[in-house]
Amino acid sequence: MDDTPLGTQDLICFALYSANNAMNRLYRPLLAQLGLTYPQYLVLVSLWDRDGKTVGQLGAELGLESNTLTPLLKRMAEAGLVTRTRADADERVVVIALTDKANGLKAEVADLAACVFEATGLTLKDARRLRDQVFALRDAIEHRDTRAD
Amino acid sequence: MDDTPLGTQDLICFALYSANNAMNRLYRPLLAQLGLTYPQYLVLVSLWDRDGKTVGQLGAELGLESNTLTPLLKRMAEAGLVTRTRADADERVVVIALTDKANGLKAEVADLAACVFEATGLTLKDARRLRDQVFALRDAIEHRDTRAD
DNA sequence: ACCAAATATATCGTACACGATATAAACGTG
DNA sequence: CACGTTTATATCGTGTACGATATATTTGGT
């Protein structure tokens, strides 16, 4: 019927894709000064909220699985940022805990996050609204059976 | 002043990150049936709008550079989806053109895009508004001198 | 016409993401 | 208390992204 000549600039998925890439390009050099990557930064933020999460709990929060998290956490452990310990109660579980070195980065990371927020040019209110809309979109596509088979 | 105990769920960058990951997880199995990855899909959409773009033009549109595009386009060429030709006028430039095989995917890709849009659960109006807000955020962080030195 | 600077791709190394699969520990039902 | 099932993490291969760097072509000033 309609030819729907959709260009890349019309797609909401491309908006997310290119905005996420741009955000990474903004974060990368700042985090590199601290020896961190973006997902490693997320792990720190998550553990500063509550330390001692398991790999599975981190994955549930960040939307990642062990195939991504295990090597990432091993790199963080090698860098002296976290410890990886098998739980006593259940030997399958690995508990991730922050080191003093990681806790020492807290202030610098807070500055960096403020700097990034300022770069968005958004008011706190607008940022919250946009954030929640993006989360809602994520949840919509995550919890949907595509029924494509 | 304030300790701002920001968790991952408070960050707009994490909203973008996790929504983009979720979008990829939605697209991936659908595109895999057509032998495509997500950025390869973007290349097709871009070239369906106007065929015969150079690597640099594709990069400007998609926000990527030759370090990402060159291997990606080589894989697409190996898969028989595009041709890569040095321009006569300027031998530095590589022109990317669609093959018949790529054009044959147009209808299936259109179905797929419609399916993804439906999964967002958004009205056309809301999707456009959100898309433009996300693009605006991207442009804000892209065109800002972080002045972090 | 020469040659330094600019431009367009390409190459390389690192670190994600992810589907598929493997391994090992804990659990449950008989 | 055996043993199949479930659960938690790990491993592997592929394909991005990206900074840094390399290569090749073109351009511009003299």
Side-chain angles (χ1 to χ4, degrees):
Chain A
M1 196 61 70
D2 56 295
D3 206 37
T4 49
L6 280 181
T8 55
Q9 311 301 317
D10 300 313
L11 301 168
I12 195 167
C13 60
F14 177 68
L16 290 172
Y17 168 83
S18 62
N20 183 56
N21 281 350
M23 194 66 89
N24 261 310
R25 283 192 291 267
L26 175 59
Y27 263 111
R28 188 186 295 263
L30 304 175
L31 287 170
Q33 294 177 352
L34 307 179
L36 294 172
T37 65
Y38 181 70
Q40 290 174 11
Y41 156 77
L42 292 178
V43 167
L44 292 188
V45 170
S46 173
L47 293 177
W48 279 326
D49 184 54
R50 186 167 64 76
D51 199 359
K53 286 173 181 160
T54 69
V55 172
Q57 288 168 338
L58 276 171
E61 182 177 335
L62 302 181
L64 299 171
E65 293 178 14
S66 66
N67 50 7
T68 299
L69 280 176
T70 295
L72 187 155
L73 293 168
K74 279 187 175 177
R75 280 187 288 270
M76 291 183 78
E78 275 187 43
L81 294 168
V82 299
T83 58
R84 300 167 63 247
T85 320
R86 290 276 168 187
D88 291 349
D90 187 339
E91 286 282 336
R92 290 171 304 181
V93 171
V94 173
V95 175
I96 309 299
L98 294 166
T99 63
D100 292 345
K101 180 176 177 184
N103 284 319
L105 294 175
K106 209 167 177 177
E108 282 160 289
V109 166
D111 286 351
L112 188 153
C115 174
V116 168
F117 175 71
E118 195 240 326
T120 65
L122 293 171
T123 65
L124 199 54
K125 196 174 158 190
D126 286 344
R128 282 194 185 123
R129 180 160 36 220
L130 182 51
R131 178 197 67 196
D132 291 340
Q133 285 175 355
V134 173
F135 275 138
L137 173 57
R138 176 197 65 178
D139 293 343
I141 61 184
E142 198 111 77
H143 305 322
R144 185 152 309 227
D145 280 285
T146 318
R147 206 179 318 288
D149 47 316
Chain B
M1 194 62 73
D2 55 296
D3 206 38
T4 48
L6 280 181
T8 54
Q9 311 302 316
D10 300 313
L11 301 168
I12 195 166
C13 58
F14 176 67
L16 290 172
Y17 168 82
S18 61
N20 183 56
N21 282 349
M23 195 64 91
N24 261 309
R25 283 192 290 268
L26 175 60
Y27 264 110
R28 188 185 295 265
L30 304 175
L31 287 170
Q33 295 177 351
L34 308 179
L36 294 172
T37 65
Y38 180 70
Q40 290 174 10
Y41 157 78
L42 291 178
V43 167
L44 291 188
V45 171
S46 171
L47 294 177
W48 279 326
D49 184 54
R50 185 166 65 76
D51 200 358
K53 286 173 180 161
T54 69
V55 172
Q57 288 168 337
L58 276 171
E61 181 177 336
L62 302 181
L64 299 171
E65 294 180 13
S66 65
N67 50 8
T68 299
L69 280 177
T70 296
L72 187 156
L73 293 168
K74 280 189 174 177
R75 279 187 287 270
M76 290 184 78
E78 274 186 45
L81 294 167
V82 299
T83 59
R84 301 166 62 248
T85 319
R86 292 276 167 187
D88 291 349
D90 187 339
E91 285 283 336
R92 291 172 303 181
V93 171
V94 173
V95 174
I96 309 299
L98 293 167
T99 63
D100 292 345
K101 179 176 177 184
N103 284 319
L105 294 175
K106 209 167 178 178
E108 282 160 288
V109 165
D111 285 352
L112 188 153
C115 174
V116 167
F117 175 71
E118 195 240 327
T120 66
L122 293 170
T123 65
L124 199 55
K125 196 174 159 189
D126 286 344
R128 283 194 184 123
R129 181 160 35 220
L130 181 52
R131 178 197 69 195
D132 291 340
Q133 284 174 356
V134 173
F135 275 138
L137 172 57
R138 177 196 66 177
D139 293 344
I141 62 183
E142 198 111 76
H143 305 322
R144 184 151 311 226
D145 280 285
T146 319
R147 206 179 316 289
D149 47 317

